[in-house]
Amino acid sequence: MTREEKATVIKDLTAQLTDNPNIYLADISGLNAVDTSNLRRACFKANIKLAVVKNTLLAKAMEASDKEFGELPDVLKGNTSLMLSETGNAPAKLIKNFRKKSEKPVLKGAFIAEAIYIGDNYLDALVNIKSKEEVIGDIIGLLQSPAKNVISGLKSGGGKLAGILKTLSEKE
């Protein structure tokens, strides 16, 4: 690979790191062709970009990025695959699900909304991170709950003002 080609790869990786809020580093070495194909297919279906990268080029891209990766470059040893996703927990869920059948991929580290996670022991914590859509759904559910209570109280009061006032005063 020439210097120009390396510079192009570093520039492309830097752009990807900048554009993606959720970055996972995983080790997929040792997967056979069928498992690798299945992993790539699962990533595609989950809207996760998967790429095997050279550690030195990724480290230079991390340096060139405007993000602070902390200790994350320290895990760039051996085989490294880059997983990029818009949803913070999607790669973690995919890894956990895939490992029901295989020992790999192994989580090396992750950068999620400016938080850094180093090591495979964080996989369960990353799976439990809620996506923006899940948090919004929870908030909407919580906001709807009091309104449903008032509506059911109004219905149980028989529609008469005295019944409605009685029901509402009991709810307090």
Side-chain angles (χ1 to χ4, degrees):
M1 184 179 279
T2 66
R3 282 186 186 202
E4 293 79 21
E5 291 171 331
K6 286 180 182 179
T8 302
V9 170
I10 292 169
K11 184 179 175 186
D12 290 345
L13 283 172
T14 303
Q16 289 177 19
L17 294 176
T18 302
D19 294 343
N20 288 283
N22 306 303
I23 301 161
Y24 281 70
L25 302 176
D27 178 0
I28 64 170
S29 64
L31 289 178
N32 62 33
V34 172
D35 288 340
T36 302
S37 177
N38 289 339
L39 177 63
R40 289 187 179 281
R41 191 173 296 112
C43 285
F44 180 79
K45 286 180 182 176
N47 202 23
I48 298 169
K49 184 175 181 193
L50 174 68
V52 177
V53 293
K54 280 193 72 145
N55 291 329
T56 54
L57 300 180
L58 182 55
K60 289 181 181 182
M62 286 178 162
E63 285 176 24
S65 171
D66 59 349
K67 293 181 180 174
E68 179 55 50
F69 288 104
E71 299 173 15
L72 204 55
D74 297 343
V75 303
L76 297 177
K77 295 174 181 75
N79 182 294
T80 303
S81 294
L82 183 65
M83 299 175 89
L84 305 170
S85 173
E86 287 295 317
T87 307
N89 62 0
K93 286 180 177 179
L94 186 135
I95 290 170
K96 187 167 183 162
N97 190 39
F98 204 82
R99 291 219 327 232
K100 291 177 182 174
K101 302 175 207 140
S102 173
E103 292 180 13
K104 300 277 178 133
V106 173
L107 177 68
K108 294 171 87 172
F111 178 90
I112 311 297
E114 299 183 15
I116 298 167
Y117 303 87
I118 305 290
D120 196 58
N121 53 322
Y122 282 104
L123 186 61
D124 287 332
L126 291 168
V127 165
N128 293 325
I129 290 176
K130 291 193 177 208
S131 69
K132 182 169 53 171
E133 291 78 17
E134 291 170 325
V135 170
I136 290 171
D138 288 349
I139 291 170
I140 290 171
L142 290 171
L143 292 173
Q144 286 178 340
S145 183
K148 288 179 182 174
N149 289 340
V150 170
I151 291 169
S152 69
L154 293 174
K155 288 180 181 175
S156 69
K160 304 238 188 266
L161 187 56
I164 292 170
L165 291 173
K166 181 181 177 203
T167 302
L168 290 176
S169 66
E170 290 172 359
K171 295 277 184 196
E172 293 180 42

